[in-house]
């Protein structure tokens, strides 16, 4: 049982790390601010989510599990909203031709 | 090992970037990034209390303070950047900083093995305080006077900031009124985040007696949530001449001082706690102190009054 | 309860390595963003550091058996949200003032 949980953790964390890698590659390669922003938030939030999922299998107790999920949800919430705000800063007049 | 080296290099890199940044806003971003990385370092060194304080206070709240300062300075900045300091002055500053860093490094590397520490005595005497977290025991029992002085110093800093108000808005409301868009993004995030943040802040404060946490970290989270609500326009900053506000600000240090003085009568010296009631007294101090610190920190970031008090 | 206190040492090593990898990604991303021309890019740096840093922190806490790392992560996510909003407010306010 413990071996299965460990295996799941390894799988999820690897997937999470891969998404962080993808996000950073997008960040380094995309040409302008808005597309970089896109790469940043999508990949990183998924990456964090998968890491949290992996660590959930190792969690000691219900409170720790709840805290882990809360961290991810809060990061998702903050990330989504702040991204919108940043995009508004970068291009306040909205989509341009 | 490689991880530690990588982390140390990253910290140094971000630090160097912060120093070299051309404008204040960039430097503040670098400072916040540096603080976040330091929190990681503290966790790596198995010091979660310090990591909590660094993340909340050293990086987050101070960052908020610096951002509002840099915003106010922006207009003057273009002129300031043109006046470059002479090269000799900058060289002297660099040499001095290097000497200080080298000195600290030498001291740390030359410490005897094992390094001198009071940690074992702190752990042994913890049972008398009724606490489970040795850091809180140090802050609230062994060195309570330092904590008392910290709360007073924060209050003095706030008075200093308030004194920057121009005469016509003396005692007025800090910050321009932030417009709350009813369906806006900022309103959305504030309405969801602030209640959760308040719960987390109370949790971190409460758990501080047995686990990493405590009143300063909890108070900082509460302060950040209040400022967030103010920035989103959900609440307006209170006028600084309001009596309830001023009572809230002094309640913490006042209670702390009172309990400290009664220590003379009850247990023999200033800030001494009678042993069976130690934990209760510490709790009685911590609750008003948390509220006071939260209010003080929030008002510190809000800044000097800018609008006249509406009486 | 899920998991067990007796951690396989290889598991701790793996989590440690994962934390290192995430941190390396954050470093690479930072290098790009901090160079970025605008304020928006700088604020993104804080976002990146926030999400990646929190992931690295959680992995590190699990690998080195520091349960309080979870509380630090909670605090970080709240303060990161706060500081990002403060930065955005700061950037837009100075533009409105006509810097």
């Amino acid at each position: 049982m413990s071996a299965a949980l460990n295996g799941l953790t390894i799988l999820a964390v690897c997937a999470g790390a891969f998404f962080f890698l993808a996000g950073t590659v997008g960040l380094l390669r995309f040409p302008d601010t808005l597309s970089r922003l896109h790469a940043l938030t999508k990949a990183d939030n998924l990456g964090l989510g998968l890491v949290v999922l992996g660590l959930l299998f190792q969690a000691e107790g219900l409170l720790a599990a709840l805290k882990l999920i809360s961290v991810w949800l809060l990061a998702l919430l903050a990330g989504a909203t702040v991204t919108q705000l940043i995009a508004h800063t970068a291009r306040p007049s909205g989509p341009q031709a | 090992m490689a991880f530690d080296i990588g982390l140390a290099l990253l910290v140094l890199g971000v630090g160097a970037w912060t120093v070299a940044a051309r404008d204040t806003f960039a430097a503040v971003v670098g400072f916040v990034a540096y603080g976040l990385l330091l929190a990681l370092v503290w966790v790596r060194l198995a010091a979660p209390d310090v990591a909590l304080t660094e993340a909340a206070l050293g990086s987050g709240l101070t960052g908020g303070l610096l951002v509002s300062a840099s915003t106010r300075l922006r207009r003057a900045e273009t002129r300031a950047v043109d006046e470059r300091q002479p090269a000799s002055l900058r060289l002297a500053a660099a040499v001095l900083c290097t000497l200080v860093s080298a000195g600290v490094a030498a001291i740390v590397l030359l410490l005897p093995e094992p390094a001198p520490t009071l940690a074992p005595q702190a752990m042994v005497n913890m049972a008398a305080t009724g606490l489970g977290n040795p850091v809180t025991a140090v802050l609230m029992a062994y060195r309570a006077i330092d904590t008392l002085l910290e709360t007073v110093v924060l209050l003095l800093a706030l008075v200093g900031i308030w004194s920057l108000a121009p005469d016509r808005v003396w005692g007025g409301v800090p910050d321009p009124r932030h417009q709350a868009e009813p369906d806006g993004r900022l309103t959305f995030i504030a309405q969801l985040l602030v209640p959760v943040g308040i719960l987390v802040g109370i949790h971190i404060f409460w758990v501080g007696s047995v686990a990493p946490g405590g009143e300063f970290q909890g108070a900082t989270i509460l302060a950040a949530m209040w400022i967030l609500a103010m920035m989103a326009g959900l609440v307006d900053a209170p006028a600084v001449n309001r009596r309830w506000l001023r009572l809230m600000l002094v309640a913490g240090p006042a209670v702390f001082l009172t309990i400290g003085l009664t220590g003379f009568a009850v247990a023999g010296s200033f800030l001494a706690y009678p042993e069976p009631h130690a934990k209760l007294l510490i709790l009685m101090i911590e609750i008003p102190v948390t509220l006071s610190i939260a209010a003080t920190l929030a008002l510190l970031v809000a800044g000097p009054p800018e609008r006249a008090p509406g009486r | 309860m899920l998991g067990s206190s007796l951690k396989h040492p290889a598991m701790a090593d793996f989590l440690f390595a994962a934390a290192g990898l995430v941190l390396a990604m954050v470093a690479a991303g930072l290098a790009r963003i901090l160079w970025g021309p605008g304020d928006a890019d700088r604020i993104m740096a804080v976002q990146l550091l926030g999400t990646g840093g929190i992931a690295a922190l959680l992995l590190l806490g699990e690998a080195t058996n520091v349960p309080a790392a979870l509380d630090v992560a909670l605090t970080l996510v709240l303060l990161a949200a706060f500081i990002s909003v403060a930065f955005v407010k700061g950037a837009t306010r100075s533009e409105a003032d006509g810097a």
Side-chain angles (χ1 to χ4, degrees):
Chain A
M1 180 60 174
S2 172
L5 286 175
N6 284 350
L8 284 170
T9 300
I10 294 179
L11 214 63
V13 169
C14 280
F18 168 73
F19 272 102
F20 271 112
L21 178 67
T24 305
V25 165
L27 199 58
L28 294 173
R29 302 271 309 207
F30 282 169
D32 69 292
T33 304
L34 285 182
S35 48
R36 283 201 288 269
L37 198 55
H38 185 87
L40 174 63
T41 48
K42 299 295 175 292
D44 280 11
N45 282 325
L46 253 178
L48 182 62
L50 284 165
V51 165
V52 162
L53 183 64
L55 289 175
L56 268 178
F57 297 126
Q58 302 280 323
E60 318 259 342
L62 188 61
L63 183 60
L66 280 175
K67 280 192 201 171
L68 274 171
I69 299 180
S70 313
V71 168
W72 180 55
L73 287 176
L74 285 174
L76 218 54
L77 171 66
T81 318
V82 172
T83 309
Q84 293 251 325
L85 292 171
I86 295 176
H88 194 71
T89 309
R91 201 173 296 169
S93 49
Q96 286 164 352
Chain B
M1 188 58 183
F3 181 87
D4 294 334
I5 296 179
L7 187 55
L9 285 176
L10 192 55
V11 169
L12 283 175
V14 174
W17 185 85
T18 308
V19 169
R22 283 293 92 204
D23 78 289
T24 319
F25 190 79
V28 174
V29 172
F31 173 80
V32 170
Y34 177 78
L36 294 184
L37 286 172
L38 271 189
L40 263 176
V41 170
W42 288 123
V43 169
R44 180 76 186 98
L45 291 172
D49 293 82
V50 188
L52 268 172
T53 313
E54 176 65 40
L57 205 46
S59 166
L61 204 92
T62 312
L65 202 57
L66 288 174
V67 160
S68 75
S70 100
T71 314
R72 287 167 216 271
L73 284 176
R74 269 217 149 150
R75 267 164 263 142
E77 196 165 345
T78 36
R79 268 173 283 137
V81 161
D82 291 332
E83 319 164 3
R84 306 255 317 202
Q85 304 291 346
S88 55
L89 191 62
R90 283 183 287 147
L91 186 62
V95 166
L96 197 60
C97 290
T98 316
L99 282 177
V100 170
S101 307
V104 172
I107 293 174
V108 169
L109 289 172
L110 292 175
L111 277 176
E113 203 68 48
T117 171
L118 289 171
Q121 282 132 300
M123 295 293 291
V124 159
N125 289 307
M126 212 165 56
T129 60
L131 293 169
N133 179 6
V135 175
T136 307
V138 169
L139 285 176
M140 292 305 293
Y142 307 146
R143 300 296 308 185
I145 185 151
D146 290 335
T147 313
L148 171 60
L149 290 176
E150 275 168 37
T151 59
V152 172
V153 161
L154 275 176
L155 213 51
L156 288 176
L158 187 60
V159 170
I161 288 197
W162 283 353
S163 67
L164 293 174
D167 283 347
R168 56 190 165 79
V169 294
W170 194 257
V173 187
D175 243 6
R177 180 64 157 106
H178 293 272
Q179 284 308 107
E181 327 148 28
D183 292 319
R185 305 163 270 252
L186 211 44
T187 315
F188 171 69
I189 190 180
Q191 283 173 334
L192 279 184
L193 212 60
V194 170
V196 176
I198 293 179
L199 281 177
V200 172
I202 296 177
H203 161 76
I204 299 263
F205 153 65
W206 190 254
V207 90
S209 56
V210 295
E215 68 225 31
F216 273 89
Q217 296 96 327
T220 311
I221 298 177
L222 292 175
M225 292 301 108
W226 190 5
I227 303 168
L228 191 57
M230 282 197 266
M231 284 195 292
L234 290 180
V235 297
D236 196 9
V240 303
N241 61 3
R242 293 279 179 267
R243 177 155 304 165
W244 65 264
L245 182 66
R246 295 187 171 187
L247 277 176
M248 189 157 119
L249 288 169
V250 301
V255 168
F256 209 155
L257 197 58
T258 312
I259 293 188
L261 288 171
T262 58
F264 275 123
V266 175
S269 68
F270 187 61
L271 277 175
Y273 307 125
E275 203 168 308
H277 307 295
K279 183 155 186 206
L280 178 65
L281 280 174
I282 290 177
L283 200 63
M284 276 172 55
I285 294 178
E286 282 190 328
I287 294 179
V289 164
T290 307
L291 289 173
S292 292
I293 301 283
T296 312
L297 289 175
L299 288 170
L300 274 175
V301 177
E306 290 181 23
R307 289 175 273 152
R311 263 259 182 242
Chain C
M1 286 288 116
L2 291 170
S4 69
S5 309
L6 235 55
K7 227 166 259 343
H8 201 277
M11 187 54 145
D13 285 339
F14 165 73
L15 290 173
F16 209 65
L21 188 65
V22 172
L23 213 56
M25 292 300 104
V26 167
L30 270 183
R32 178 66 188 86
I33 307 178
L34 291 180
W35 232 258
D39 283 343
D41 295 276
R42 305 278 165 69
I43 305 175
M44 282 200 312
V46 177
Q47 270 293 96
L48 168 65
L49 196 50
T51 329
I54 289 172
L57 184 63
L58 289 172
L59 288 166
L60 191 61
E62 192 67 33
T64 56
N65 207 21
V66 177
L70 200 44
D71 280 338
V72 181
L74 259 178
T75 308
L76 260 178
V77 78
L78 287 170
L79 267 301
F82 156 70
I83 200 80
S84 300
V85 172
F87 278 142
V88 170
K89 277 279 177 179
T92 50
R93 182 176 169 186
S94 59
E95 276 166 28
D97 285 342

